[in-house]
Amino acid sequence: MARATARHILVGTEEQCQELKQQIADGADFGKVAEEHSQCPSGRQGGDLGSFGRGQMVPEFDKVVFSAPINEVQGPVKTQFGYHLLEVTSRED
């Protein structure tokens, strides 16, 4: 069964998501940005979502997590919760 570990940042607007993505691209630490800006409780852990299998997250999230390159920030990804930046930290197929 496919499993992945990932971290994310959840914000309310696509614009804020793009701004944070640029900050990370410019060298900001993903975990610190998550702690400061994420609206998800996981922000307190630097956005860490731990390990999960396919189908445990919303479909939009799953699609990215199980196809994106490892350690590369993806997004904005829109879900019913808002806009996410995602970083897959490991994956086993």
Side-chain angles (χ1 to χ4, degrees), residues 35-53:
E35 287 174 16
E36 292 174 21
H37 298 281
S38 186
Q39 297 171 0
C40 180
S42 69
R44 291 191 291 275
Q45 291 84 40
D48 186 14
L49 295 169
S51 176
F52 53 90

Side-chain angles (χ1 to χ4, degrees), residues 9 20-21 23-24 28-38 43 46 85:
I9 299 169
L20 297 177
K21 186 175 185 178
Q23 287 179 25
I24 293 165
D29 179 80
F30 189 104
K32 286 187 175 35
V33 173
E35 287 174 16
E36 292 174 21
H37 298 281
S38 186
L85 291 179

Side-chain angles (χ1 to χ4, degrees), residues 13-87:
T13 67
E14 187 173 4
E15 293 76 22
Q16 185 181 15
C17 204
Q18 291 285 14
E19 289 170 15
L20 297 177
K21 186 175 185 178
Q22 187 59 53
Q23 287 179 25
I24 293 165
D26 292 341
D29 179 80
F30 189 104
K32 286 187 175 35
V33 173
E35 287 174 16
E36 292 174 21
H37 298 281
S38 186
Q39 297 171 0
C40 180
S42 69
R44 291 191 291 275
Q45 291 84 40
D48 186 14
L49 295 169
S51 176
F52 53 90
R54 198 181 294 271
Q56 289 186 266
M57 300 290 179
V58 293
E60 302 91 341
F61 213 87
D62 251 23
K63 183 177 177 185
V64 174
V65 168
F66 289 98
S67 65
I70 307 293
N71 298 320
E72 199 175 284
V73 178
Q74 305 294 315
V77 176
K78 186 178 191 300
T79 71
Q80 73 259 37
F81 302 107
Y83 293 86
H84 306 258
L85 291 179
L86 293 168
E87 183 183 39

